[in-house]
Amino acid sequence: MSTAVELLAAIEGVGRDAKRGGYSRHGFDRVELELREWFVGEAGRRGLAVEGDRNGNLWAWWGEPGVGAVVTGSHLDSVPGGGAFDGPLGVVSALSAVDMLRERGFAPAKPLALVVFAEEEGGRFGVPCLGSRLLSGAVDPEVARGLRDPDGVTLAEAVAGAGFDPARLGRDDDALAAIGTFVELHVEQGRGLIDLGAPVAVASSILAHGRWRFRFTGEGNHAGATLLGDRHDPMVPAAEMVLATRIAASEVDDARATVGRLVPNPGGTNVIPSSVDVWLDARGPDDASTRRVLGRIQELANDAVEREGCALTVTEESYGDTVHFDAGLRDRIAAALGGIPTLPTGAGHDAGVLAAQVPTAMLFVRNPTGVSHAPEEYAEPEDCESGVTALAAVLGQLAG
Ligand code: GLV
Ligand code: MN
Ligand code: MN
């Protein structure tokens, strides 16, 4: 049997980012394809038959593929400069749980599958949970095909390069029918389990979450020769929008709003930019509060744009409403695992996308740093083992 920690160790050298620190593993890039190959090898070593679905997600079947399967898994891509656990912990725990069940002589009565979802972070094409959104019809395949990475490569080109047919992207009723129940194990991304003093919890809910691109346009010009009064510098309202993000989020209970990416064009030290793209990530307890945060930021940004004689366009790149996981399944899992705690999260997951379609649950494993989307993200080996034991128990109960 391979432990989760041993399996993670096998991929620890793949996709390290020397410049940013941590890992940069993005959907269908060379590194993520190498990780997929590793997964196919691990599944093959266990006699699991691997297939790709219409949307670039990988499925490894224990037994005959069929409808109503018990499905578990996560993703192998990361944010830029991300940690080793967000995504991979769910994939290695799925493999290790299969080993554990087999050692106990368990034979599933229902089909059981491990899944690796594509481009969960949206780190390359901008839309999070792209593989599960496409599969469930939550994103228009025509729009998805045209998404471009920072080098101008389209998603259609990237999936074709990985051996998938871009014409087949889109809602996959066969794949959805195959999922009877989905359970995703994930490293916890906040301090919830530290505070509870517990190694594992079951998820209760996910915040509503959207991403918007703010494009500020002005007049590109010379940094020395252009008098202050003559400028239409889009960096000025862009900077005010960054500050507005903190102000707006702090005005709404339990909301969060972040600017993690800002790109001036053309981006020269002695050049007043002609445009600045700023990406907003905003989250809240429900649709109304999330939209309220967005509206307030737009209002403050528009005021700043007017003062500087610039223009602003705002484009919604993705949105997902609050997720409440299946309460019956959640309670059944918590009870089966000896009354483990339930925990809400502010982080998004493929499980959150699938929850709108099929009974879905999540298990969280304690992260002693409370840090995620950064190299400091961590889980202790004993807690990883507690996660695998919990996942094996859940899979055994659901598929038995
Ligand atoms: C993914 O982890 C997200 O919440 O953005
Ligand atoms: Mn993540
Ligand atoms: Mn994740």
Side-chain angles (χ1 to χ4, degrees):
M1 167 174 166
S2 301
T3 65
V5 170
E6 285 163 355
L7 290 163
L8 278 177
I11 55 171
E12 71 181 358
V14 185
R16 280 192 182 275
D17 190 324
K19 195 167 146 205
R20 298 184 178 100
Y23 292 94
S24 291
R25 301 159 162 171
H26 301 312
F28 308 107
D29 73 2
R30 185 188 51 76
V31 167
E32 201 239 11
L33 294 182
E34 186 179 335
L35 291 173
R36 285 165 175 258
E37 230 172 81
W38 164 83
F39 174 77
V40 170
E42 287 296 328
R45 288 206 302 125
R46 290 166 174 77
L48 310 180
V50 182
E51 59 187 23
D53 67 16
R54 286 175 38 191
N55 293 295
N57 308 304
L58 294 178
W59 296 68
W61 288 93
W62 180 356
E64 277 301 300
V67 296
V70 176
V71 182
T72 186
S74 193
H75 59 98
L76 292 169
D77 65 307
S78 74
V79 295
F85 294 83
D86 177 354
L89 183 64
V91 176
V92 300
S93 297
L95 290 163
S96 186
V98 166
D99 293 348
M100 192 176 271
L101 288 167
R102 280 196 171 143
E103 267 190 6
R104 291 183 193 152
F106 176 80
K110 291 183 187 163
L112 199 152
L114 314 190
V115 66
V116 173
F117 284 109
E119 180 75 344
E120 190 269 355
E121 300 288 5
R124 181 171 178 190
F125 293 101
V127 175
C129 302
L130 192 52
S132 56
R133 276 184 208 258
L134 279 163
L135 182 150
S136 59
V139 59
D140 179 342
E142 198 47 48
V143 173
R145 275 187 282 270
L147 292 171
R148 286 182 189 275
D149 74 6
D151 295 324
V153 178
T154 63
L155 177 71
E157 289 162 349
V159 298
F164 295 91
D165 179 359
R168 300 191 70 229
L169 293 179
R171 184 177 162 95
D172 186 340
D173 286 312
D174 293 339
L176 278 172
I179 310 173
T181 313
F182 179 61
V183 183
E184 179 172 0
L185 179 146
H186 206 279
V187 69
E188 208 224 322
Q189 296 177 276
R191 304 187 54 83
L193 281 167
I194 302 174
D195 295 344
L196 288 165
V200 179
V202 60
S204 53
S205 61
I206 299 180
L207 295 178
H209 173 205
R211 293 181 181 188
W212 292 267
R213 189 193 68 205
F214 283 55
R215 175 162 290 171
F216 296 87
T217 48
E219 184 178 65
N221 213 331
H222 194 286
T226 315
L227 300 180
L228 294 185
D230 291 342
R231 295 183 182 212
H232 304 286
D233 181 350
M235 187 59 86
V236 174
E240 292 197 46
M241 179 243 162
V242 173
L243 298 176
T245 294
R246 174 62 68 89
I247 293 166
S250 67
E251 289 171 353
V252 175
D253 266 357
D254 208 21
R256 297 116 206 235
T258 307
V259 172
R261 187 152 69 108
L262 182 152
V263 179
N265 180 42
T269 306
N270 55 350
V271 182
I272 297 168
S274 54
S275 67
V276 180
D277 283 343
V278 185
W279 281 267
L280 170 70
D281 178 310
R283 312 185 190 210
D286 52 31
D287 179 67
S289 57
T290 309
R291 302 269 174 202
R292 202 152 67 241
V293 172
L294 171 68
R296 182 83 171 112
I297 295 169
Q298 280 185 277
E299 183 185 309
L300 293 168
N302 277 322
D303 290 348
V305 157
E306 208 167 297
R307 281 194 298 275
E308 187 68 14
C310 290
L312 170 64
T313 55
V314 179
T315 309
E316 184 170 292
E317 295 197 336
S318 67
Y319 187 76
D321 205 348
T322 318
V323 175
H324 297 284
F325 287 108
D326 186 300
L329 182 62
R330 178 199 68 203
D331 292 346
R332 191 174 149 200
I333 288 174
L337 298 176
I340 61 167
T342 58
L343 204 62
T345 181
H349 300 285
D350 293 306
V353 174
L354 289 180
Q357 309 286 332
V358 293
T360 299
M362 288 192 78
L363 293 172
F364 292 132
V365 172
R366 175 166 52 193
N367 174 356
T369 67
V371 172
S372 186
H373 285 185
E376 290 74 20
E377 177 184 278
Y378 189 60
E380 296 287 356
E382 315 83 75
D383 288 354
C384 292
E385 284 322 291
S386 299
V388 171
T389 303
L391 181 62
V394 170
L395 298 178
Q397 193 179 86
L398 294 171

PDB file of all heavy atoms in Angstrom, residues 26 55 59 76 109 117 167 175 184 190 202 206 242 244 280 295 306 308 329 343 389:
ATOM      1  N   HIS A  26      -0.283  24.181 -14.482  1.00  0.00           N
ATOM      2  CA  HIS A  26      -1.509  24.734 -15.060  1.00  0.00           C
ATOM      3  C   HIS A  26      -2.130  23.785 -16.080  1.00  0.00           C
ATOM      4  O   HIS A  26      -1.419  23.016 -16.729  1.00  0.00           O
ATOM      5  CB  HIS A  26      -1.230  26.087 -15.694  1.00  0.00           C
ATOM      6  CG  HIS A  26      -0.676  27.089 -14.724  1.00  0.00           C
ATOM      7  ND1 HIS A  26      -1.232  27.318 -13.491  1.00  0.00           N
ATOM      8  CD2 HIS A  26       0.401  27.900 -14.796  1.00  0.00           C
ATOM      9  CE1 HIS A  26      -0.532  28.235 -12.854  1.00  0.00           C
ATOM     10  NE2 HIS A  26       0.462  28.600 -13.609  1.00  0.00           N
ATOM     11  N   ASN A  55     -14.189  16.437 -21.696  1.00  0.00           N
ATOM     12  CA  ASN A  55     -13.730  17.760 -21.265  1.00  0.00           C
ATOM     13  C   ASN A  55     -12.324  17.772 -20.681  1.00  0.00           C
ATOM     14  O   ASN A  55     -11.959  18.698 -19.962  1.00  0.00           O
ATOM     15  CB  ASN A  55     -14.748  18.330 -20.277  1.00  0.00           C
ATOM     16  CG  ASN A  55     -16.069  18.611 -20.965  1.00  0.00           C
ATOM     17  OD1 ASN A  55     -16.129  19.472 -21.851  1.00  0.00           O
ATOM     18  ND2 ASN A  55     -17.111  17.857 -20.622  1.00  0.00           N
ATOM     19  N   TRP A  59     -10.531   9.729 -15.751  1.00  0.00           N
ATOM     20  CA  TRP A  59     -11.294   8.827 -14.882  1.00  0.00           C
ATOM     21  C   TRP A  59     -10.563   7.496 -14.802  1.00  0.00           C
ATOM     22  O   TRP A  59     -10.184   6.937 -15.832  1.00  0.00           O
ATOM     23  CB  TRP A  59     -12.687   8.565 -15.464  1.00  0.00           C
ATOM     24  CG  TRP A  59     -13.553   9.784 -15.553  1.00  0.00           C
ATOM     25  CD1 TRP A  59     -13.380  10.860 -16.372  1.00  0.00           C
ATOM     26  CD2 TRP A  59     -14.719  10.038 -14.781  1.00  0.00           C
ATOM     27  NE1 TRP A  59     -14.372  11.780 -16.149  1.00  0.00           N
ATOM     28  CE2 TRP A  59     -15.221  11.289 -15.180  1.00  0.00           C
ATOM     29  CE3 TRP A  59     -15.411   9.325 -13.790  1.00  0.00           C
ATOM     30  CZ2 TRP A  59     -16.355  11.849 -14.629  1.00  0.00           C
ATOM     31  CZ3 TRP A  59     -16.549   9.867 -13.239  1.00  0.00           C
ATOM     32  CH2 TRP A  59     -17.015  11.130 -13.646  1.00  0.00           C
ATOM     33  N   LEU A  76      -4.889  18.309 -10.245  1.00  0.00           N
ATOM     34  CA  LEU A  76      -3.426  18.292 -10.157  1.00  0.00           C
ATOM     35  C   LEU A  76      -2.809  19.637 -10.523  1.00  0.00           C
ATOM     36  O   LEU A  76      -1.602  19.818 -10.389  1.00  0.00           O
ATOM     37  CB  LEU A  76      -2.845  17.182 -11.048  1.00  0.00           C
ATOM     38  CG  LEU A  76      -3.153  15.751 -10.570  1.00  0.00           C
ATOM     39  CD1 LEU A  76      -2.774  14.720 -11.634  1.00  0.00           C
ATOM     40  CD2 LEU A  76      -2.433  15.445  -9.259  1.00  0.00           C
ATOM     41  N   ALA A 109     -19.467  -2.971  -4.429  1.00  0.00           N
ATOM     42  CA  ALA A 109     -20.689  -3.492  -5.048  1.00  0.00           C
ATOM     43  C   ALA A 109     -21.157  -2.537  -6.148  1.00  0.00           C
ATOM     44  O   ALA A 109     -21.887  -2.925  -7.053  1.00  0.00           O
ATOM     45  CB  ALA A 109     -21.771  -3.641  -3.983  1.00  0.00           C
ATOM     46  N   PHE A 117      -9.770  16.353 -12.230  1.00  0.00           N
ATOM     47  CA  PHE A 117     -10.408  17.423 -12.998  1.00  0.00           C
ATOM     48  C   PHE A 117      -9.363  18.370 -13.581  1.00  0.00           C
ATOM     49  O   PHE A 117      -8.313  18.617 -12.981  1.00  0.00           O
ATOM     50  CB  PHE A 117     -11.394  18.209 -12.127  1.00  0.00           C
ATOM     51  CG  PHE A 117     -12.669  17.466 -11.893  1.00  0.00           C
ATOM     52  CD1 PHE A 117     -12.967  16.948 -10.646  1.00  0.00           C
ATOM     53  CD2 PHE A 117     -13.559  17.236 -12.935  1.00  0.00           C
ATOM     54  CE1 PHE A 117     -14.136  16.237 -10.435  1.00  0.00           C
ATOM     55  CE2 PHE A 117     -14.738  16.524 -12.737  1.00  0.00           C
ATOM     56  CZ  PHE A 117     -15.030  16.022 -11.484  1.00  0.00           C
ATOM     57  N   ALA A 167     -13.909  19.968 -30.198  1.00  0.00           N
ATOM     58  CA  ALA A 167     -15.297  20.042 -30.674  1.00  0.00           C
ATOM     59  C   ALA A 167     -16.245  19.321 -29.712  1.00  0.00           C
ATOM     60  O   ALA A 167     -17.448  19.576 -29.709  1.00  0.00           O
ATOM     61  CB  ALA A 167     -15.400  19.417 -32.072  1.00  0.00           C
ATOM     62  N   ALA A 175     -21.228  11.264 -18.547  1.00  0.00           N
ATOM     63  CA  ALA A 175     -20.313  11.354 -17.408  1.00  0.00           C
ATOM     64  C   ALA A 175     -21.082  11.730 -16.140  1.00  0.00           C
ATOM     65  O   ALA A 175     -20.808  11.204 -15.052  1.00  0.00           O
ATOM     66  CB  ALA A 175     -19.215  12.374 -17.687  1.00  0.00           C
ATOM     67  N   GLU A 184     -14.950  14.676  -2.531  1.00  0.00           N
ATOM     68  CA  GLU A 184     -13.608  15.236  -2.760  1.00  0.00           C
ATOM     69  C   GLU A 184     -12.926  15.468  -1.421  1.00  0.00           C
ATOM     70  O   GLU A 184     -13.471  16.159  -0.551  1.00  0.00           O
ATOM     71  CB  GLU A 184     -13.707  16.561  -3.538  1.00  0.00           C
ATOM     72  CG  GLU A 184     -12.332  17.203  -3.778  1.00  0.00           C
ATOM     73  CD  GLU A 184     -12.370  18.420  -4.719  1.00  0.00           C
ATOM     74  OE1 GLU A 184     -13.464  18.793  -5.198  1.00  0.00           O
ATOM     75  OE2 GLU A 184     -11.279  18.984  -4.973  1.00  0.00           O
ATOM     76  N   GLY A 190      -7.970  27.219   5.390  1.00  0.00           N
ATOM     77  CA  GLY A 190      -7.985  28.238   6.422  1.00  0.00           C
ATOM     78  C   GLY A 190      -7.589  27.633   7.766  1.00  0.00           C
ATOM     79  O   GLY A 190      -6.908  26.605   7.809  1.00  0.00           O
ATOM     80  N   VAL A 202     -15.999  17.470   7.703  1.00  0.00           N
ATOM     81  CA  VAL A 202     -16.815  17.338   6.490  1.00  0.00           C
ATOM     82  C   VAL A 202     -17.352  18.732   6.159  1.00  0.00           C
ATOM     83  O   VAL A 202     -17.680  19.509   7.054  1.00  0.00           O
ATOM     84  CB  VAL A 202     -17.926  16.270   6.690  1.00  0.00           C
ATOM     85  CG1 VAL A 202     -18.856  16.614   7.823  1.00  0.00           C
ATOM     86  CG2 VAL A 202     -18.710  16.029   5.404  1.00  0.00           C
ATOM     87  N   ILE A 206     -19.909  26.440   0.681  1.00  0.00           N
ATOM     88  CA  ILE A 206     -18.868  27.238   0.008  1.00  0.00           C
ATOM     89  C   ILE A 206     -19.472  28.612  -0.290  1.00  0.00           C
ATOM     90  O   ILE A 206     -20.627  28.724  -0.711  1.00  0.00           O
ATOM     91  CB  ILE A 206     -18.424  26.582  -1.322  1.00  0.00           C
ATOM     92  CG1 ILE A 206     -17.822  25.186  -1.075  1.00  0.00           C
ATOM     93  CG2 ILE A 206     -17.427  27.466  -2.062  1.00  0.00           C
ATOM     94  CD1 ILE A 206     -17.362  24.469  -2.353  1.00  0.00           C
ATOM     95  N   VAL A 242      -8.101  49.087  -6.371  1.00  0.00           N
ATOM     96  CA  VAL A 242      -7.503  48.105  -5.455  1.00  0.00           C
ATOM     97  C   VAL A 242      -7.873  48.466  -4.010  1.00  0.00           C
ATOM     98  O   VAL A 242      -8.290  47.611  -3.226  1.00  0.00           O
ATOM     99  CB  VAL A 242      -5.968  48.051  -5.627  1.00  0.00           C
ATOM    100  CG1 VAL A 242      -5.338  47.166  -4.560  1.00  0.00           C
ATOM    101  CG2 VAL A 242      -5.600  47.548  -7.021  1.00  0.00           C
ATOM    102  N   ALA A 244     -10.428  50.299  -3.127  1.00  0.00           N
ATOM    103  CA  ALA A 244     -11.885  50.167  -3.015  1.00  0.00           C
ATOM    104  C   ALA A 244     -12.277  48.718  -2.720  1.00  0.00           C
ATOM    105  O   ALA A 244     -13.285  48.448  -2.047  1.00  0.00           O
ATOM    106  CB  ALA A 244     -12.546  50.629  -4.314  1.00  0.00           C
ATOM    107  N   LEU A 280     -10.537  41.063 -10.295  1.00  0.00           N
ATOM    108  CA  LEU A 280     -11.154  41.052  -8.967  1.00  0.00           C
ATOM    109  C   LEU A 280     -11.695  39.656  -8.666  1.00  0.00           C
ATOM    110  O   LEU A 280     -12.411  39.076  -9.489  1.00  0.00           O
ATOM    111  CB  LEU A 280     -12.315  42.058  -8.933  1.00  0.00           C
ATOM    112  CG  LEU A 280     -13.208  41.994  -7.691  1.00  0.00           C
ATOM    113  CD1 LEU A 280     -12.462  42.497  -6.466  1.00  0.00           C
ATOM    114  CD2 LEU A 280     -14.494  42.794  -7.913  1.00  0.00           C
ATOM    115  N   GLY A 295     -20.735  45.799  -6.714  1.00  0.00           N
ATOM    116  CA  GLY A 295     -21.364  47.071  -7.080  1.00  0.00           C
ATOM    117  C   GLY A 295     -20.644  48.256  -6.442  1.00  0.00           C
ATOM    118  O   GLY A 295     -20.422  49.289  -7.084  1.00  0.00           O
ATOM    119  N   GLU A 306     -13.607  58.776 -13.681  1.00  0.00           N
ATOM    120  CA  GLU A 306     -14.089  60.097 -14.118  1.00  0.00           C
ATOM    121  C   GLU A 306     -13.079  61.190 -13.767  1.00  0.00           C
ATOM    122  O   GLU A 306     -12.776  62.064 -14.594  1.00  0.00           O
ATOM    123  CB  GLU A 306     -15.431  60.378 -13.442  1.00  0.00           C
ATOM    124  CG  GLU A 306     -16.312  61.284 -14.250  1.00  0.00           C
ATOM    125  CD  GLU A 306     -17.721  61.279 -13.695  1.00  0.00           C
ATOM    126  OE1 GLU A 306     -18.362  60.206 -13.719  1.00  0.00           O
ATOM    127  OE2 GLU A 306     -18.134  62.343 -13.214  1.00  0.00           O
ATOM    128  N   GLU A 308      -9.952  61.022 -13.565  1.00  0.00           N
ATOM    129  CA  GLU A 308      -8.715  60.939 -14.348  1.00  0.00           C
ATOM    130  C   GLU A 308      -8.968  61.036 -15.854  1.00  0.00           C
ATOM    131  O   GLU A 308      -8.037  61.030 -16.654  1.00  0.00           O
ATOM    132  CB  GLU A 308      -7.991  59.626 -14.003  1.00  0.00           C
ATOM    133  CG  GLU A 308      -6.621  59.447 -14.596  1.00  0.00           C
ATOM    134  CD  GLU A 308      -5.537  60.406 -14.043  1.00  0.00           C
ATOM    135  OE1 GLU A 308      -5.772  61.049 -13.011  1.00  0.00           O
ATOM    136  OE2 GLU A 308      -4.464  60.502 -14.684  1.00  0.00           O
ATOM    137  N   LEU A 329     -26.202  13.576   3.166  1.00  0.00           N
ATOM    138  CA  LEU A 329     -24.905  12.922   2.929  1.00  0.00           C
ATOM    139  C   LEU A 329     -23.867  13.427   3.931  1.00  0.00           C
ATOM    140  O   LEU A 329     -23.097  12.648   4.509  1.00  0.00           O
ATOM    141  CB  LEU A 329     -24.468  13.199   1.483  1.00  0.00           C
ATOM    142  CG  LEU A 329     -23.161  12.568   1.023  1.00  0.00           C
ATOM    143  CD1 LEU A 329     -23.223  11.056   1.072  1.00  0.00           C
ATOM    144  CD2 LEU A 329     -22.831  13.049  -0.407  1.00  0.00           C
ATOM    145  N   LEU A 343     -17.656  21.982   8.553  1.00  0.00           N
ATOM    146  CA  LEU A 343     -16.894  23.228   8.379  1.00  0.00           C
ATOM    147  C   LEU A 343     -17.301  23.897   7.069  1.00  0.00           C
ATOM    148  O   LEU A 343     -17.309  23.241   6.025  1.00  0.00           O
ATOM    149  CB  LEU A 343     -15.413  22.842   8.319  1.00  0.00           C
ATOM    150  CG  LEU A 343     -14.367  23.871   8.695  1.00  0.00           C
ATOM    151  CD1 LEU A 343     -14.518  24.307  10.145  1.00  0.00           C
ATOM    152  CD2 LEU A 343     -12.973  23.257   8.492  1.00  0.00           C
ATOM    153  N   THR A 389      -7.830   7.408   5.800  1.00  0.00           N
ATOM    154  CA  THR A 389      -8.662   6.456   6.556  1.00  0.00           C
ATOM    155  C   THR A 389     -10.134   6.876   6.484  1.00  0.00           C
ATOM    156  O   THR A 389     -11.020   6.047   6.290  1.00  0.00           O
ATOM    157  CB  THR A 389      -8.182   6.403   8.028  1.00  0.00           C
ATOM    158  OG1 THR A 389      -6.799   6.047   8.025  1.00  0.00           O
ATOM    159  CG2 THR A 389      -8.957   5.382   8.835  1.00  0.00           C
TER     160      THR A 389
END
